[in-house]
Amino acid sequence: MKIHIKNGRLIDPANGIDAKQDVFVAAGKIVGIGQAPEGFVAAKVIDASGLVVAPGLVDLSARLREPGYEHKATLESEMQAAIQGGVTSLVCPPDTDPVLDEPGLVEMLKHRAKSLNQAHVYPLGALTMGLKGEALTEMAELTDAGCIGFAQADQPILDTTVLLRAMQYAKTFDYTVWLRPQDPHLGRKGVAHSGPVASRLGLSGVPVMAETIALHTILELVRVTGTRVHLCRMSSAAGLELVRAAKQEGLPISCDVGAHHIHLTENDIGFFDSNARLTPPLRSQRDRDAIHRALLDGTIDAICSDHTPVDDDEKLLPFGEASPGATGLELLLSLALKWAENCADQDKQSQSQTLVQAISKITADAARIVGLPSGQLAVGSVADICLFDPAARWTVAAKVLASQGKHTPFLGYELSGQVKTTIVAGHIAYQR
């Protein structure tokens, strides 16, 4: 379909564009910016007056729960949630059941996702068989099947020699290893940040040094092997200082932060609100402020939704027994915009400038980590586009979420930024 998007504010951080310009789409690609190519006749015209026209969002962590956990969510429900949230490309961790450690499983997931003709799905393969941290997977075969990197999800590797061998193997073939820094022993049974709130509530804690000790190990292995590593879900000020220093040293690392951790702290647990049971745990206000600064100065490369749908049976339990996780695909844009608003208020920057920064963290910067050509609106690029109203307000409620997971610590919050249209590879996948 040939589509003409007119009168919108085009924001494309990858190409430095923030201006009122029309976009022209044909054969699944962007064929014109500003001016229509010769002979272009639109089959559909979208009036984007008052809307921002941005690249489709790229989410670096979205658990789709297939295969194996269909009682928590299905591919249909989560892909609908993705396009309803403006997400056109998403990376899914390998902790399914069975684990994504065989090419056939990856091919099946890719085929299922492609048949729905909605968002693009990019699986991470398991770094070790069954995520048990013992035998390495056949990374070359998994890459051929469609994996864009290798991870352990939230399962630690107890034997550092195994991690060293995995990184050496990955370096040989220039694969990216995705690791969440978490010491396997410190805070093993912890459910909240080690601090006064956890102590007062009688909850077992996860100390910050569980993140920093693991980071020291990972960074030392990067120095030795030269492997490209992406650090998932950073949560502490001390950890971000290590990342900042490592980047200044020139190590080939990148990192992301979960959207929840930009805004919430340990205090948001309130009276044992299991919706605030997350991995890693919500940390102190000092840590949250450090995340804010690290996003501004580029230490943190991208914001992800850390979408982890959990059903009522596992969430409506006492805090310590509830499963960690929250839905996030449909909140990613609004939470990024909320960060931009906070930046403008606190750091005396222009709202226009911080809006562009926020969009970059969930489009171009995220795409660069994965090595995708998406996240931009250049002529010739795939037409993955998100049209949203930055001024529209909406209230987070279970009934408005398309995801099968209805649990989020933001239930009842009023947020700005509402997706109006999502275009995936040139076809209109969603229209409000």
Side-chain angles (χ1 to χ4, degrees):
M1 180 187 289
K2 291 185 176 180
I3 304 171
H4 175 196
I5 303 170
K6 65 177 186 178
N7 301 328
R9 176 185 173 186
L10 177 63
I11 297 181
D12 179 14
N15 295 295
I17 300 172
D18 180 6
K20 188 174 180 178
Q21 288 192 336
D22 289 8
V23 179
F24 302 89
V25 175
K29 299 202 170 183
I30 294 171
V31 294
I33 299 287
Q35 271 193 314
E38 193 174 338
F40 183 92
V41 179
K44 184 171 182 65
V45 177
I46 299 174
D47 187 355
S49 298
L51 305 182
V52 169
V53 181
L57 276 51
V58 180
D59 190 351
L60 296 182
S61 180
R63 287 175 169 85
L64 305 176
R65 294 308 198 190
E66 282 198 37
Y69 298 108
E70 287 83 357
H71 61 288
K72 298 182 182 182
T74 64
L75 212 54
E76 285 85 354
S77 66
E78 305 320 290
M79 297 288 269
Q80 181 62 37
I83 57 172
Q84 195 162 304
V87 178
T88 58
S89 299
L90 45 89
V91 177
C92 55
D95 52 349
T96 50
D97 183 19
V99 168
L100 296 180
D101 58 5
E102 293 183 6
L105 294 169
V106 175
E107 288 166 353
M108 180 188 72
L109 177 62
K110 293 275 289 183
H111 176 74
R112 278 268 292 130
K114 193 172 183 180
S115 68
L116 293 174
N117 200 27
Q118 292 178 314
H120 311 289
V121 172
Y122 300 97
L124 289 171
L127 194 60
T128 59
M129 295 301 295
L131 298 177
K132 293 177 180 176
E134 296 169 359
L136 303 187
T137 55
E138 294 289 348
M139 295 187 207
E141 292 181 9
L142 288 168
T143 300
D144 290 342
C147 290
I148 51 89
F150 299 91
Q152 278 293 110
D154 290 328
Q155 301 302 314
I157 293 179
L158 298 177
D159 188 340
T160 308
T161 303
V162 174
L163 182 55
L164 171 63
R165 297 285 176 260
M167 289 173 68
Q168 288 172 329
Y169 187 98
K171 172 61 177 176
T172 302
F173 295 96
D174 199 30
Y175 302 146
T176 302
V177 176
W178 297 50
L179 298 171
R180 190 174 74 79
Q182 173 71 38
D183 183 88
H185 305 294
L186 289 167
R188 182 169 44 201
K189 295 182 180 179
V191 297
H193 168 64
S194 288
V197 173
S199 298
R200 189 170 66 248
L201 297 176
L203 298 172
S204 53
V206 181
V208 164
M209 62 180 170
E211 182 168 281
T212 56
I213 287 174
L215 259 177
H216 278 292
T217 300
I218 293 167
L219 295 176
E220 193 59 37
L221 292 175
V222 171
R223 287 187 186 97
V224 171
T225 62
T227 310
R228 188 168 62 246
V229 169
H230 178 67
L231 301 165
C232 309
R233 259 67 72 220
M234 296 298 301
S235 69
S236 70
L240 288 168
E241 275 303 314
L242 292 174
V243 172
R244 186 175 284 112
K247 284 191 166 188
Q248 289 170 353
E249 185 185 330
L251 296 185
I253 61 169
S254 56
C255 74
D256 66 48
V257 65
H260 306 94
H261 288 74
I262 301 171
H263 303 291
L264 304 178
T265 70
E266 58 186 342
N267 294 313
D268 291 290
I269 292 172
F271 293 102
F272 303 99
D273 179 8
S274 60
N275 284 328
R277 171 86 200 276
L278 304 171
T279 301
L282 295 171
R283 298 206 179 272
S284 69
Q285 185 166 335
R286 175 177 171 270
D287 293 311
R288 187 191 62 183
D289 292 345
I291 288 170
H292 175 98
R293 290 192 299 274
L295 280 165
L296 280 175
D297 68 21
T299 300
I300 296 174
D301 298 272
I303 301 169
C304 71
S305 72
D306 197 19
H307 178 72
T308 308
V310 180
D311 64 357
D312 289 352
D313 291 345
E314 294 184 9
K315 203 63 169 172
L316 300 179
L317 293 169
F319 190 91
E321 299 171 27
S323 293
T327 189
L329 275 169
E330 294 155 90
L331 301 175
L332 178 59
L333 174 64
S334 292
L335 293 178
L337 296 182
K338 183 175 171 63
W339 170 72
E341 289 173 15
N342 293 343
C343 285
D345 293 341
Q346 295 172 17
D347 301 308
K348 303 294 185 283
Q349 297 190 52
S350 73
Q351 283 209 321
S352 179
Q353 182 184 354
T354 56
L355 176 62
V356 172
Q357 281 183 293
I359 291 174
S360 186
K361 296 291 182 189
I362 53 178
T363 58
D365 295 339
R368 187 177 64 251
I369 290 167
V370 187
L372 298 177
S374 54
Q376 61 172 326
L377 297 177
V379 173
S381 64
V382 175
D384 293 340
I385 307 171
C386 170
L387 281 71
F388 68 91
D389 183 347
R393 310 287 293 181
W394 66 287
T395 301
V396 183
K399 64 181 180 182
V400 303
L401 297 175
S403 171
Q404 196 169 311
K406 306 297 183 184
H407 297 281
T408 164
F410 291 100
L411 284 174
Y413 278 61
E414 187 181 65
L415 300 175
S416 62
Q418 191 172 57
V419 175
K420 298 298 183 183
T421 304
T422 303
I423 297 172
V424 182
H427 82 274
I428 298 173
Y430 172 75
Q431 247 184 332
R432 186 172 296 279

